[in-house]
């Protein structure tokens, strides 16, 4: 459940960027952002991973939460094998 996970993690973060990987069941960044309405931190639909990661890496730690498909796609993008 995206909403309950986000509300649990929100106190630990300054902001949320929503994104999607290429998996067939991935939800769109906009759809995820709508589900996170009311979160006590800013939520930004950031498009694909190639757009979201540079925006999120603005000088701080990036935590990837979601499916293992998303985590795997981020690892590939940053060159972690």
């Amino acid at each position: 459940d995206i909403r309950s996970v986000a509300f649990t993690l929100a106190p630990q973060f300054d902001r949320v960027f929503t994104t999607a990987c290429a998996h067939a069941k991935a939800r769109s960044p906009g759809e995820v952002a709508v589900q996170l309405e009311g979160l006590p931190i800013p939520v930004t639909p950031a498009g694909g991973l190639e757009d979201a990661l540079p925006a999120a890496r603005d000088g701080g730690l990036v935590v990837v939460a979601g499916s293992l498909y998303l985590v795997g796609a981020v690892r590939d993008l940053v060159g972690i094998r």
Side-chain angles (χ1 to χ4, degrees):
D1 172 33
I2 293 171
R3 192 167 172 79
S4 65
V5 170
F7 273 83
T8 299
L9 294 176
Q12 307 303 315
F13 301 101
D14 298 325
R15 57 193 169 161
V16 170
F17 291 95
T18 61
T19 188
C21 63
H23 190 270
K25 292 185 179 181
R27 296 178 185 176
S28 75
E31 182 181 351
V32 174
V34 167
Q35 291 183 351
L36 300 183
E37 287 179 359
L39 203 64
I41 57 177
V43 176
T44 304
L49 287 175
E50 296 77 13
D51 299 324
L53 192 58
R57 294 179 89 179
D58 187 22
L61 178 67
V62 174
V63 175
V64 178
S67 73
L68 291 178
Y69 296 107
L70 177 62
V71 172
V74 170
R75 287 175 56 101
D76 289 345
L77 189 61
V78 299
I80 298 173
R81 299 280 172 208

